[in-house]
Amino acid sequence: MAGHFALGNSNTLATIDVAGAFIGISNHSTVLSGILMLIITYASPMLVLISMVVYMSVKSYHFIPQKIDSGHLLKRMLGFPCLVPLGLNSILLTAYTIVLLLMRNHLFVWSVFSPKYLYVCGFTVCIYIGVSVVAATGIYTYSVLAWRKTRQSSNH
């Protein structure tokens, strides 16, 4: 979130860079410009989640003992990069939802908390996209390692 605020974003809707969402688009497309606006607004959280993929690829998984449980290996590869961001984000989203539901009749809730709630919902989408990429990378890496292991054992 420090990167989110360092790029000039805040919890108000006035700081969303709408003009940047239309750069490079020849015709008006609401969906494409919305996707570009999401990418521009949440560039730093996406960078952190994509760096998890790099972290997973740099870790030394080439030395795998012969008697390791495959479920343990997959948990080790996907546990921290996927479950920690999902857990933290679900706690945050649940807390904001409860506050918004409890204070829904208050006058200033919709002007103060709803923009923040929209940011949290956008961050949830960002988390789900990033975790999906990390999980797909981890499962692919695991399947390649398992395939190489079976191929090496069949050659010997």
Side-chain angles (χ1 to χ4, degrees):
M1 291 308 291
H4 176 76
F5 294 117
L7 288 175
N9 296 312
S10 70
N11 288 332
T12 64
L13 298 176
T15 59
I16 294 177
D17 188 17
V18 179
F22 294 98
I23 294 175
I25 299 176
S26 59
N27 295 329
H28 177 72
S29 173
T30 306
V31 174
L32 187 58
S33 61
I35 291 171
L36 284 173
M37 193 169 14
L38 182 77
I39 290 171
I40 289 169
T41 305
Y42 294 102
S44 62
M46 289 290 257
L47 179 65
V48 169
L49 291 168
I50 298 300
S51 68
M52 288 285 194
V53 174
V54 175
Y55 172 74
M56 286 172 50
S57 66
V58 170
K59 284 187 79 130
S60 176
Y61 290 116
H62 63 275
F63 177 70
I64 299 172
Q66 295 295 330
K67 295 182 181 181
I68 194 166
D69 182 23
S70 60
H72 175 70
L73 178 65
L74 199 57
K75 284 182 206 173
R76 190 175 72 180
M77 290 173 68
L78 295 179
F80 178 73
C82 292
L83 293 179
V84 171
L86 280 176
L88 292 175
N89 187 51
S90 63
I91 291 169
L92 185 67
L93 186 63
T94 303
Y96 277 112
T97 303
I98 290 171
V99 167
L100 201 60
L101 284 174
L102 290 176
M103 303 292 284
R104 68 182 175 270
N105 294 328
H106 195 274
L107 184 62
F108 294 109
V109 166
W110 297 113
S111 63
V112 175
F113 284 115
S114 65
K116 175 64 177 171
Y117 189 69
L118 289 174
Y119 271 101
V120 170
C121 289
F123 194 68
T124 301
V125 169
C126 178
I127 290 284
Y128 286 148
I129 291 170
V131 164
S132 298
V133 169
V134 170
T137 304
I139 291 170
Y140 175 74
T141 305
Y142 171 74
S143 63
V144 167
L145 288 174
W147 178 75
R148 286 178 60 191
K149 186 176 173 182
T150 58
R151 191 146 188 228
Q152 283 179 349
S153 64
S154 67
N155 286 341
H156 293 283

